[in-house]
Amino acid sequence: MTYKTREWRNSMRVKLDFNNMTDTFLGDKGFSAKKLASYSSRANQAFRYVKENRGKDELYMGWTELPYNQDAIVADILQTAKAIRNKFQYFVVLGIGGSALGPIMAFNALCHLHYNDLPRSKRKGPKFYVEDNVDPVRMRDLLDVIDPAKTCFNVISKSGATSETMTQYLIILDLLKKAGVDVKENVIFTTDANKGNLKKISDEVGGIKSYILPDGVGGRFSQLCPVGLLPAAVLGIDIKGLLAGAGYMDYLCRQPSMRKNPALMCAVLQIAAMEEGKNVGVMMPYSDNLKYIADWYCQLWAESLGKNVTLDGKPCNVGQTPVKSLGVTDQHSQVQLYTEGPFDKVVTFLSLEKYGCEMPIPHGCENIPDVSFLGGHTMEELIQAENAATAYALTKAGRMNYTILLPELNAFTLGQLLFLFELQTAYAGAMLNINTFNQPGVEEGKKATFALLGKAGYSEKKKELDSLPAKDPACII
Ligand code: PA5
């Protein structure tokens, strides 16, 4: 790894503090050293499974190699991103799920929180939007604020068969045609190398710039391939730093012992907690910049672990419901429940040692002690104190929580965090003996949508829907 110096990399190490999961802090509500040790054999098997299968496309584990095998792609992306920055006023991602949450998360994490409102001279790239829904109002409103002729549209879909993304594409295609713009000039695809409709479209039209979503990389594990790298590069995010951070976390997690491997320990903590009835996993960043990593994580954790059959075909219903929560905002909304409600949650705090700025709090209101004590501190001190205080209050109430601590937020530490969660998910899935990388449970809804919209080949499904009993008006009140 050549990214900056070793000292710098070590100073930027993301750390796990799981003290508040242990009996030392939680008494009989916490894990004893013996209890954690009882998971070492399963943890070891999971570690070996991931180690032996890493990089295997047929198992959808190609994502493990993304930090190492993309030099040529990164060079191409950087060049394309520069051209986009020079040519376009707007950059719009059309995608959903794994094809959208990564770009949203990285944008929010590493760009100004009011990026689109900044004047062009203060933005590194064009105005940026990710359209991950088919709410017509949202599309109308987007079209009110962009000029399609001055917009680069990045259509991201591995299958090219996702109704939501393809609907958006059809609308954009029509608008570009009406504006007399050559689609090749304003559209970039990110899709499968060989299959799928975007591939067909690009072959037909010829010359649409296309990036490959590699075979062995599923949507929710795709942030570190062109799905996430192109939008990030357009925004001026240091994509080499992101990949270097991911590689650094991968290096830290090459340790077979869960006591030394943070991703493996996170997986063990979560699985052990789940097996004690903690069916809710709260992801609570104390940082507005990290707000959308909770969304990204929720998909990763929910879609990967929510399964009804084991790898050897036995029925199971496993998984943990991920919940997003923002510190300190949700202290005033959710923490009452976390502290006094059912003992069914594990809270993961994402904490920053250093924020992007300190923001001093001026002295004032000297006659009102309730207010004046704040003066002379900084907002950084306040948010950190509230984070520590919430962890303390949860622990005092016997509630499991642990902290992932970032020295600061930059591309390198974000890359570490992403890879930590991806590895944690892969280990957890292996411990549960399930297929972590498929999502058969979302298919039924897709098929029903096709049937409702009259897609060819779905007439049987339509009959099935039509055969439902008539709704009982008594149940509609
Ligand atoms: O994680 C996943 O695999 C899904 O969320 C997909 O990313 C999502 O369904 C979009 O699929 P596609 O990229 O084929 O349009």
Side-chain angles (χ1 to χ4, degrees), residues 96-99 156-162 165 213 218-221 299 303 439 442 446:
I96 196 164
S99 297
I156 308 180
S157 178
K158 192 175 178 79
S159 61
T162 303
T165 307
L213 212 166
R220 57 190 176 273
F221 287 83
Q299 187 209 10
E303 233 172 37
Q439 55 282 327
V442 296
K446 282 189 193 171

Side-chain angles (χ1 to χ4, degrees), residues 14 48 54 63 72 74 91 113 126 176 238 267 328 335 341 356 376 411 440 443 456 468:
V14 170
R48 282 207 314 274
R54 53 179 300 143
W63 56 272
V74 166
F91 186 86
L113 287 169
L176 290 175
D238 172 13
V328 306
V335 166
E443 289 308 308
L468 288 172

Side-chain angles (χ1 to χ4, degrees), residues 9 14 82 86 104 121 173 176 187 201 205 229 241 281 296 300 303 313 321 333 337 385 435:
R9 292 195 297 272
V14 170
K82 192 172 168 196
N86 287 335
I104 294 169
S121 57
L173 184 66
L176 290 175
V187 169
I201 295 168
V205 178
L229 295 182
W296 175 85
L300 183 71
E303 233 172 37
T321 305
S333 155
L337 172 73
N435 185 338

Side-chain angles (χ1 to χ4, degrees), residues 104-155:
I104 294 169
M105 173 270 297
F107 170 53
N108 194 73
L110 297 175
C111 294
H112 191 286
L113 287 169
H114 298 287
Y115 173 91
N116 281 343
D117 298 330
L118 291 172
R120 182 67 184 88
S121 57
K122 294 201 169 164
R123 271 187 278 120
K124 288 190 182 159
K127 288 193 179 185
F128 185 81
Y129 303 91
V130 181
E131 296 305 300
D132 65 345
N133 203 352
V134 283
D135 182 332
V137 174
R138 179 152 159 196
M139 181 54 92
R140 179 200 66 193
D141 290 0
L142 173 78
L143 297 175
D144 280 344
V145 297
I146 64 164
D147 174 352
K150 295 177 182 162
T151 304
C152 178
F153 295 96
N154 184 195
V155 187

Side-chain angles (χ1 to χ4, degrees), residues 282-285 291 294 323-327 330-331 334-335 338:
V282 178
M283 178 59 64
M284 191 164 188
K291 181 173 177 182
V323 167
K324 44 197 182 185
S325 194
L326 178 67
D330 285 315
Q331 283 177 209
Q334 301 294 307
V335 166
Y338 303 164

Side-chain angles (χ1 to χ4, degrees), residues 42-56 59-65 216 220-221 250 253 261-268 270-271 274 296-297 299-307 311 417-438:
R42 268 169 86 191
N44 206 266
Q45 273 173 22
F47 175 81
R48 282 207 314 274
Y49 179 86
V50 172
K51 186 175 174 194
E52 281 159 19
N53 293 307
R54 53 179 300 143
K56 287 191 182 163
L59 294 177
Y60 274 90
M61 286 194 60
W63 56 272
T64 58
E65 305 315 296
R220 57 190 176 273
F221 287 83
D250 189 29
C253 296
N261 177 331
L264 191 55
M265 182 50 97
C266 286
V268 167
Q270 293 287 359
I271 296 285
M274 273 184 230
W296 175 85
Y297 170 83
Q299 187 209 10
L300 183 71
W301 197 241
E303 233 172 37
S304 299
L305 301 190
K307 300 291 155 65
L311 282 175
L417 202 53
L418 301 183
F419 216 75
L420 172 78
F421 288 142
E422 290 180 347
L423 277 174
Q424 168 192 324
T425 304
Y427 290 139
M431 288 179 73
L432 293 169
N433 191 31
I434 51 161
N435 185 338
T436 311
F437 305 104
N438 66 0

